[in-house]
Amino acid sequence: MNDDMQILGWDDEVEEGSPFVLLPEGNYPFTITGLEKGIYEKPANRESKIPANCPKATVTLEFITPTGEKSTLTENFYLYKKMQWKINQFFTSIGAPKNPEGKVKMNWGTVLGAKGAASLVVNDYTDRSGNPAQNNRIKDFLEPTQQTAAPGYQAPQQSYQQPPAQTQPPQQNVTPFPQQTAAPQNGAGYNF
């Protein structure tokens, strides 16, 4: 679980925290600092383009500028066919090899600590109080050959490991993401 989501006690000491950093549009390296697996629950009384009970991976990415400023973004990956392009971009960015058809094998066990790069944009929105606000959004995850940025940028060292080959047919009627939200302890294989 992401440290930012740790529950505080009523009598705990609290830190000042770091201020929100809005990065200018551009390409930035990232390190993955959090992964949480879950199931998307369709909101009541609201339409949704995402299928009900769809497996969801929430990934926390830390971006660092050449001057040392840090900004953290959270990205949701919904595991259904329409979103394959985004998942493919993400895994390619962190070093997963593509097969001759351009497909990438997902290996969520290698995500924590992986490095890649993404193109960030500045997003204008209205906050809950009705005030104009801005934040960063990920436009695209970049392939290792496209990963360039402002002066001082160094291409990340890739740490992706190909998942083990399946030696037996997949099991039927298995819950894709059990309630366990921690990554596999040994970093190999899948948690589903």
Side-chain angles (χ1 to χ4, degrees):
M1 181 163 86
N2 184 351
D3 284 344
D4 290 341
M5 300 304 288
Q6 183 177 350
I7 296 172
L8 299 173
W10 290 107
D11 298 320
D12 285 355
E13 290 182 338
V14 291
E15 299 174 7
E16 288 181 347
S18 57
F20 169 74
V21 176
L22 182 68
L23 301 176
E25 291 189 0
N27 298 346
Y28 294 92
F30 65 78
T31 301
I32 300 170
T33 59
L35 169 65
E36 191 173 322
K37 295 178 181 177
I39 301 291
Y40 171 76
E41 294 181 22
K42 187 175 180 179
N45 302 324
R46 235 178 84 204
E47 285 193 39
S48 175
K49 296 178 182 179
I50 301 166
N53 301 317
C54 179
K56 174 179 86 167
T58 302
V59 177
T60 305
L61 305 105
E62 182 179 76
F63 290 85
I64 302 177
T65 68
T67 59
E69 290 181 294
K70 294 180 183 180
S71 184
T72 302
L73 273 77
T74 301
E75 190 74 17
N76 289 315
F77 295 94
Y78 300 98
L79 278 61
Y80 69 108
K81 284 201 174 246
K82 186 176 180 181
M83 300 307 326
Q84 288 183 104
W85 67 271
K86 183 177 180 180
I87 299 166
N88 185 298
Q89 265 191 5
F90 170 70
F91 275 100
T92 300
S93 176
I94 62 172
K98 288 186 179 185
N99 70 17
E101 293 87 36
K103 295 180 181 179
V104 172
K105 182 78 172 171
M106 293 186 291
N107 186 355
W108 294 100
T110 63
V111 168
L112 278 175
K115 297 176 183 302
S119 177
L120 298 182
V121 295
V122 174
N123 176 55
D124 294 313
Y125 68 98
T126 303
D127 69 14
R128 292 181 181 173
S129 302
N131 300 316
Q134 293 182 319
N135 63 8
N136 287 117
R137 291 273 171 95
I138 296 172
K139 178 181 176 187
D140 292 302
F141 288 96
L142 305 176
E143 289 193 30
T145 57
Q146 298 175 321
Q147 295 180 1
T148 59
Y153 171 78
Q154 294 180 354
Q157 299 295 318
Q158 300 302 328
S159 60
Y160 186 85
Q161 295 176 4
Q162 188 68 22
Q166 271 189 324
T167 56
Q168 47 185 306
Q171 297 177 356
Q172 300 297 320
N173 300 324
V174 174
T175 303
F177 288 93
Q179 294 303 323
Q180 176 185 4
T181 58
Q185 295 300 317
N186 64 4
Y190 294 100
N191 194 20
F192 58 96

